[in-house]
């Protein structure tokens, strides 16, 4: 059931920049409002007020609206015209399809001297004999009644027959009031029975032997589905019976219809909540301890093996404008889990990683989440990672080269000792070298070859 609140009025005052004190036109139709309140205090400058298709049972709290020109109260539960004397500027009043049975209550509209149009069609009083003549004779300034113009001859005739018509109207009013009292008693009786039945149904629901949190989850699901199906079938039968049951058009029947629709809506919400509760939890790790690949958020992702830095890089396409506080990252040695708005994303890694050395960052341009996870079984180097198996072979090959490098180091000149090359010493080294080379052929014995002749003019073979 709705009520007139300041927030409701502001939401319907967008055409006036949500300012309510200077509001001239307000529409509050189809809001299930039961009572008129606060409008005469907050909106004193109103000229047009739409309140059709609500559940208002009494005209009240509008007497301070001095500037009000048009009041629409069609399709409500009003049974009597009252409390409109203060609306001095009222020119049009719409009370179509209400429950006005006291036609004599229109005499209160005689104070509204500017009233020109009145709509009373669809009310019980409109079925009275002499209804139109009584209204025309009572409200002599009225020009239009139920959309039909009042002619001068019609008003003269109504005034001539007014005493007889007034007596007829009073008798019909009394008969209607007696019927109305019986209808009210019957409606109250039905309402008490419905409340009693609802209390019994609630107690039955509270004694259900199965619960969603039982150990045997599958059995609990089957029982819950069976109960839901039974309840749906029962509700459909009750609904069919309700809408096909003949009933009188009274304020109580309108309220009963609204309560029935509200009950259906609440039952539907309860069923949806039960379905949500019955839904089994998401399995991320099996009983054997094996992690599963899960993508509940349905996000695009890519996993790269960066051999250069010996690490895995996970690029997760998170929503660009989503707040980072809604993301939770959990890196484990064998898998990585990212929770996005309560929905888990889990990916099993091809190799073991170091959770302590991992890092997670978001891109400032795309909003993607980038997680870097270093591997465990590797040596991180700048450019050329080497394996342990090839280390021994390389060391064995480098042994002769190390000896050569040592010999080469001996040939290097120390710049601290000699800053300028010594030409004399270079020549001496050459002489010394030539003498050593000439002495080598003397090692060959001359006894083995008797024809050998040593000619000093012939240069030695190198």
């Amino acid at each position: 059931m709705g009520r007139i609140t300041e927030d409701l009025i502001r939401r319907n005052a967008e055409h006036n920049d949500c300012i309510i004190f200077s509001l001239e036109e307000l529409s509050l139709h189809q809001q299930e409002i039961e009572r008129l309140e606060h409008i005469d205090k907050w909106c004193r400058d109103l000229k047009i007020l739409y309140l059709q298709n609500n559940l208002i049972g009494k005209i009240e709290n509008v007497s301070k609206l001095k500037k009000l020109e048009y009041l629409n109260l069609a399709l409500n539960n009003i049974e009597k015209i009252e409390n409109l004397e203060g609306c001095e500027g009222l020119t049009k009043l719409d009370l179509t399809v209400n429950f006005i049975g006291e036609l004599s209550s229109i005499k209160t509209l005689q104070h509204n001297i500017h009233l020109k149009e009145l709509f009373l069609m669809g009310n019980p009083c409109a079925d009275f004999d002499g209804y139109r003549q009584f209204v025309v004779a009572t409200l002599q300034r009225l020009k239009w009644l139920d959309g039909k113009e009042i002619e001068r001859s019609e008003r003269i005739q109504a005034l001539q027959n007014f005493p007889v018509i007034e007596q007829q109207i009073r008798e019909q009013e009394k008969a209607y009031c007696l019927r109305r009292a019986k209808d009210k008693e019957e409606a109250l009786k039905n309402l008490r029975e419905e409340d009693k039945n609802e209390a019994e149904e609630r107690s039955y629901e509270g004694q259900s032997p199965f619960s969603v949190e039982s150990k045997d989850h599958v059995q609990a699901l089957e029982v819950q589905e069976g109960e839901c199906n039974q309840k749906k079938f029962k509700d459909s039968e009750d609904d069919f019976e309700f809408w096909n049951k003949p009933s009188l058009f009274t304020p109580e029947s309108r309220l009963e219809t609204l309560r029935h629709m509200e009950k259906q809506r609440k039952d539907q919400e309860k069923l949806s909540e039960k379905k949500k509760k019955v839904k089994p939890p998401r399995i991320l790790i099996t009983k054997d301890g094996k992690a599963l690949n899960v993508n509940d958020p349905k996000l695009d992702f890519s996993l790269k093996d960066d051999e250069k830095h010996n690490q895995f890089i996970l690029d997760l396409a998170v929503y660009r404008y989503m707040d980072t506080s809604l993301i939770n990252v959990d890196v484990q040695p064998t898998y990585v889990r990212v929770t996005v708005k309560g929905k888990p994303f889990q990916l099993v890694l091809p190799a073991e990683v170091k959770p302590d050395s991992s890092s997670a960052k978001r891109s400032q341009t795309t909003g993607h989440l980038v997680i870097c996870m270093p591997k465990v079984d590797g040596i991180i180097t700048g450019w050329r990672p080497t394996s342990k198996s090839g280390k021994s072979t390389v060391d064995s090959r480098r042994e002769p080269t190390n000896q050569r490098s040592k010999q080469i180091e001996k040939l290097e000149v120390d710049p601290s000792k000699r800053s300028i090359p010594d030409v004399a010493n270079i020549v001496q080294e050459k002489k010394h070298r030539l003498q050593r080379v000439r002495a080598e052929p003397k090692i060959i014995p001359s006894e083995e070859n008797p024809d050998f002749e040593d000619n000093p003019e012939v240069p030695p073979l190198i």
Side-chain angles (χ1 to χ4, degrees):
M1 302 295 180
R3 293 190 62 184
I4 297 176
T5 60
E6 185 178 350
D7 183 54
L8 178 64
I9 295 175
R10 287 191 187 279
R11 286 203 307 269
N12 290 275
E14 293 180 354
H15 59 282
N16 198 41
D17 296 330
C18 297
I19 301 171
I20 63 174
F21 74 90
S22 61
L23 200 61
E24 294 186 355
E25 183 177 345
L26 179 61
S27 179
L28 296 176
H29 61 282
Q30 296 180 346
Q31 299 290 338
E32 298 181 0
I33 298 168
E34 287 190 9
R35 188 185 175 191
L36 271 173
E37 53 186 350
H38 306 306
I39 293 179
D40 58 338
K41 298 177 182 177
W42 297 339
C43 310
R44 292 286 184 90
D45 295 336
L46 272 181
K47 292 183 179 180
I48 301 173
L49 179 58
Y50 296 100
L51 291 165
Q52 67 269 26
N53 202 359
N54 283 291
L55 300 168
I56 299 168
K58 185 179 180 181
I59 303 174
E60 56 184 345
N61 298 320
V62 292
S63 59
K64 295 180 181 179
L65 301 176
K66 305 296 182 182
K67 299 180 182 179
L68 188 64
E69 297 176 1
Y70 175 35
L71 177 60
N72 191 333
L73 286 167
L75 290 164
N76 279 281
N77 294 346
I78 297 168
E79 298 186 47
K80 186 179 179 181
I81 301 174
E82 56 186 342
N83 300 323
L84 289 172
E85 297 86 350
C87 300
E88 298 172 356
L90 189 64
T91 58
K92 184 178 179 180
L93 177 62
D94 192 347
L95 294 169
T96 307
V97 190
N98 276 274
F99 300 94
I100 299 171
E102 297 183 28
L103 186 57
S104 58
S105 63
I106 64 168
K107 291 181 180 179
T108 59
L109 296 177
Q110 292 176 347
H111 301 281
N112 304 97
I113 58 176
H114 298 289
L115 185 64
K116 305 299 180 184
E117 293 183 61
L118 177 64
F119 292 86
L120 289 172
M121 63 179 70
N123 286 276
C125 65
D127 298 330
F128 293 171
D129 293 335
Y131 148 73
R132 184 174 177 86
Q133 293 177 347
F134 179 80
V135 176
V136 170
T138 304
L139 305 174
Q140 298 183 17
R141 293 184 179 87
L142 200 66
K143 292 185 178 180
W144 294 81
L145 178 61
D146 295 335
K148 186 179 179 182
E149 188 177 2
I150 301 171
E151 297 180 359
R152 185 180 178 186
S153 59
E154 184 182 3
R155 176 167 280 114
I156 293 170
Q157 188 177 0
L159 288 169
Q160 290 175 351
N161 301 326
F162 182 72
V164 179
I165 295 170
E166 186 179 12
Q167 186 63 29
Q168 291 178 357
I169 294 295
R170 289 189 181 279
E171 291 175 359
Q172 294 177 73
E173 276 184 0
K174 287 179 182 179
Y176 173 79
C177 290
L178 290 172
R179 292 196 307 268
R180 184 77 187 94
K182 290 180 181 179
D183 294 340
K184 282 183 179 180
E185 288 179 3
E186 190 176 351
L188 287 171
K189 186 179 178 181
N190 294 334
L191 183 60
R192 288 169 186 169
E193 289 179 358
E194 287 181 3
D195 292 340
K196 187 177 179 182
N197 293 333
E198 286 181 3
E200 289 178 357
E201 288 179 2
R202 288 173 187 172
S203 62
Y204 175 75
E205 288 177 0
Q207 294 175 359
S208 179
F210 296 98
S211 63
V212 180
E213 298 178 358
S214 60
K215 294 181 180 179
D216 194 356
H217 190 74
V218 178
Q219 186 178 359
L221 286 174
E222 293 175 356
V223 172
Q224 288 288 339
E225 287 178 2
E227 288 181 356
C228 290
N229 292 331
Q230 288 178 2
K231 193 167 184 181
K232 281 182 181 178
F233 181 73
K234 186 180 177 182
D235 290 343
S236 62
E237 284 185 346
D238 294 342
D239 189 51
F240 181 79
E241 183 181 353
F242 177 81
W243 293 112
N244 287 277
K245 180 179 68 175
S247 61
L248 298 171
F249 184 64
T250 59
E252 289 77 21
S253 64
R254 286 195 71 198
L255 290 171
E256 185 182 2
T257 304
L258 183 64
R259 282 196 298 267
H260 180 76
M261 295 174 68
E262 273 193 7
K263 183 183 176 184
Q264 281 186 327
R265 188 175 70 248
K266 288 179 180 178
D267 290 343
Q268 193 67 28
E269 289 176 357
K270 285 181 181 178
L271 287 174
S272 61
E273 286 178 2
K274 283 184 179 180
K275 285 181 180 178
K276 289 179 182 178
K277 291 179 181 177
V278 168
K279 187 178 179 181
R282 186 66 160 161
I283 299 172
L284 300 176
I285 299 175
T286 61
K287 295 179 180 179
D288 302 334
K290 183 181 178 182
L292 302 177
N293 291 327
V294 178
N295 190 2
D296 277 1
K298 297 181 181 180
L299 300 173
D300 296 331
F301 68 94
S302 63
L303 183 66
K304 296 180 181 179
D305 188 358
D306 187 4
E307 295 182 355
K308 183 178 176 180
H309 299 90
N310 195 36
Q311 62 181 356
F312 292 116
I313 300 175
L314 174 63
D315 188 348
L316 190 61
V318 180
Y319 312 116
R320 183 173 183 178
Y321 297 106
M322 191 179 70
D323 192 359
T324 310
S325 62
L326 300 174
I327 304 172
N328 187 19
V329 181
D330 182 17
V331 180
Q332 297 294 332
T334 57
Y335 66 90
V336 58
R337 183 185 301 166
V338 182
T339 307
V340 181
K341 295 179 70 174
K343 295 181 179 181
F345 170 87
Q346 184 168 285
L347 182 66
V348 180
L349 301 173
E352 194 172 348
V353 298
K354 299 176 181 179
D356 297 339
S357 303
S358 302
S359 63
K361 295 180 180 179
R362 284 193 73 180
S363 173
Q364 294 183 355
T365 55
T366 62
H368 288 200
L369 180 68
V370 181
I371 305 173
C372 301
M373 299 166 283
K375 299 179 186 177
V376 172
D377 56 344
I379 300 172
I380 301 174
T381 59
W383 293 95
R384 295 179 182 176
T386 56
S387 59
K388 293 181 180 180
S389 59
K391 189 175 181 182
S392 59
T393 56
V394 172
D395 292 341
S396 62
R397 290 175 183 175
R398 284 183 179 179
E399 286 179 0
T401 58
N402 289 336
Q403 293 177 359
R404 293 176 186 174
S405 63
K406 290 179 181 178
Q407 293 175 358
I408 292 168
E409 286 176 359
K410 289 181 180 180
L411 295 175
E412 288 180 359
V413 179
D414 188 2
S416 62
K417 293 181 179 180
R418 296 177 181 177
S419 58
I420 301 172
D422 191 359
V423 179
N425 291 337
I426 292 171
V427 174
Q428 288 178 0
E429 285 179 1
K430 282 185 177 181
K431 288 180 179 179
H432 182 69
R433 187 176 179 183
L434 290 171
Q435 289 176 0
R436 185 178 63 183
V437 172
R438 288 175 184 174
E440 285 178 357
K442 293 180 181 180
I443 299 172
I444 301 170
S446 60
E447 296 177 356
E448 294 178 359
N449 191 0
D451 297 332
F452 176 75
E453 290 182 2
D454 187 10
N455 189 355
E457 295 181 357
V458 178
L461 297 175
I462 298 174

